[in-house]
Amino acid sequence: MESSIIREKPIDINSFKKWYENEFDSKAKIDSKFKTYYESVTRTMKDKIQESDFWINVLQEIKEVSSEYSLQTQYDFLSNSSDLKLQIKPYSSFIDKLYRKNVVNNKNWPHCPDGGWYFFDKSFDRINDLIRTSIVVKYLDGVELLANRLQRKGEEVGNRVTIKMEAREYGYYAAHLDIKHRVEIPSLTFDTEFIECSSEIQITTQLQEVLTKLTHTQYESRRLQIESDDDNKKWQWNYESKEFTANYLGHILHYLEGMILEVRDRRSGKNDKI
């Protein structure tokens, strides 16, 4: 339901919280009680997903792909051998996400975004990365290879898996897998309900992971900002900005990874080029 009251557009997280509570009154308060509820729901989602056939098969599939890749190319597949673990999006990041969905990225403002407002207690089935993990492969060709294998495994065990090969303007490259799960979660009325929620697997390369860690704080800060009519100078022309250096470094690394594979394939005889 869309409120008939239109107030000033929030410009940051604090003003968003005030706007939300004024706009929707009794829908939900952004307080410690809701934080506890959020943590209870996401913990339940994580536990159910970890127990699913898909997740159990994912771990085995990664081992098989890694072994096959090493035999075929004589190179390691994964950047490390640490155990893969599901992570829960922190509560503060969830609030940030709702702010971006309702305000920053809402092209319909002051009306609701497509599909309706993202309410605090009713968006667990609309945000696909509350439960997530990342897999880091050594080389560029491993990203799409693993994404396709995991999608196929999802189909075998009855989970719908969607692949999105990300190639963003600001130099971010990765595969995002959205996996659908039907789980039972607690409600605010002390009952339970079934929802179709998502888990997300990000697959990226070793070099891209290093860059992401270096620029993560800058990226998080930037995407919470609302562009104004005065923001008419694109970062591509502002060579003194942090975005110029970080973003183009992402594109350069992606290009270098492609060149590394080309050289590797030449040496192994996979490519007839000299």
Side-chain angles (χ1 to χ4, degrees):
M1 182 179 69
E2 187 173 345
S3 170
S4 59
I5 304 173
I6 301 300
R7 294 183 172 87
E8 186 176 351
K9 188 173 186 177
I11 60 172
D12 54 28
I13 293 297
N14 289 331
S15 59
F16 168 65
K17 291 178 179 179
K18 293 178 182 178
W19 169 84
Y20 184 91
E21 293 179 357
N22 288 330
E23 192 77 4
F24 304 115
D25 298 325
S26 61
K27 280 289 182 182
K29 293 292 183 182
I30 311 171
D31 53 18
S32 58
K33 179 182 178 182
F34 184 76
K35 181 175 184 292
T36 300
Y37 175 63
Y38 171 80
E39 291 171 348
S40 173
V41 171
T42 52
R43 192 163 51 244
T44 298
M45 290 166 59
K46 176 186 173 184
D47 291 343
K48 295 296 184 183
I49 291 170
Q50 281 187 154
E51 296 168 0
S52 68
D53 289 340
F54 175 81
W55 184 251
I56 294 171
N57 277 275
V58 160
L59 301 177
Q60 182 59 36
E61 191 70 14
I62 292 173
K63 291 180 181 178
E64 292 181 7
V65 174
S66 181
S67 178
E68 293 170 9
Y69 185 91
S70 297
L71 286 173
Q72 182 177 350
T73 67
Q74 308 304 310
Y75 289 90
D76 291 335
F77 184 67
L78 299 175
S79 70
N80 58 59
S81 57
S82 60
D83 293 335
L84 191 65
K85 295 181 179 179
L86 286 171
Q87 305 292 333
I88 297 174
K89 180 185 282 291
Y91 174 71
S92 60
S93 297
F94 176 63
I95 301 300
D96 290 350
K97 188 96 173 190
L98 293 177
Y99 171 47
R100 296 200 309 274
K101 291 287 188 181
N102 282 316
V103 182
V104 178
N105 300 328
N106 179 9
K107 297 179 180 180
N108 302 330
W109 183 271
H111 305 291
C112 66
D114 294 342
W117 294 111
Y118 284 77
F119 292 117
F120 286 86
D121 56 337
K122 296 294 182 183
S123 298
F124 298 108
D125 58 348
R126 297 182 68 190
I127 297 178
N128 62 8
D129 64 346
L130 298 182
I131 310 299
R132 56 189 178 171
T133 191
S134 60
I135 304 171
V136 182
V137 299
K138 275 188 170 292
Y139 301 103
L140 185 61
D141 59 343
V143 175
E144 191 168 8
L145 169 65
L146 184 57
N148 289 332
R149 287 286 290 268
L150 295 185
Q151 183 182 51
R152 190 185 316 159
K153 183 57 63 176
E155 294 173 352
E156 292 176 5
V157 299
N159 290 83
R160 181 160 49 91
V161 180
T162 303
I163 300 173
K164 188 174 182 180
M165 301 299 294
E166 297 281 4
R168 299 180 185 173
E169 182 183 33
Y170 52 81
Y172 174 83
Y173 293 89
H176 286 198
L177 277 67
D178 177 67
I179 305 101
K180 297 299 182 184
H181 310 265
R182 181 170 170 78
V183 301
E184 186 177 16
I185 63 169
S187 68
L188 281 173
T189 58
F190 303 102
D191 199 354
T192 61
E193 60 179 317
F194 282 94
I195 64 170
E196 185 180 58
C197 66
S198 295
S199 63
E200 181 183 81
I201 298 177
Q202 296 182 13
I203 307 174
T204 190
T205 63
Q206 191 172 17
L207 289 178
Q208 286 289 336
E209 182 199 32
V210 171
L211 180 63
T212 298
K213 288 182 176 179
L214 290 174
T215 60
H216 182 71
T217 301
Q218 172 190 324
Y219 167 66
E220 288 294 325
S221 174
R222 177 63 179 173
R223 66 179 182 171
L224 289 177
Q225 297 177 11
I226 298 177
E227 292 187 359
S228 68
D229 293 336
D230 295 331
D231 296 334
N232 56 6
K233 186 176 182 180
K234 292 184 176 294
W235 62 263
Q236 292 92 333
W237 290 97
N238 186 7
Y239 64 88
E240 295 179 330
S241 69
K242 294 178 180 179
E243 287 89 352
F244 186 92
T245 301
N247 295 353
Y248 275 120
L249 183 56
H251 293 302
I252 290 170
L253 286 180
H254 190 68
Y255 172 77
L256 287 175
E257 287 185 303
M259 295 301 96
I260 289 170
L261 280 183
E262 186 174 358
V263 171
R264 191 195 73 183
D265 290 346
R266 285 178 183 174
R267 295 183 62 182
S268 67
K270 289 180 61 179
N271 196 320
D272 292 333
K273 295 180 181 179
I274 299 176

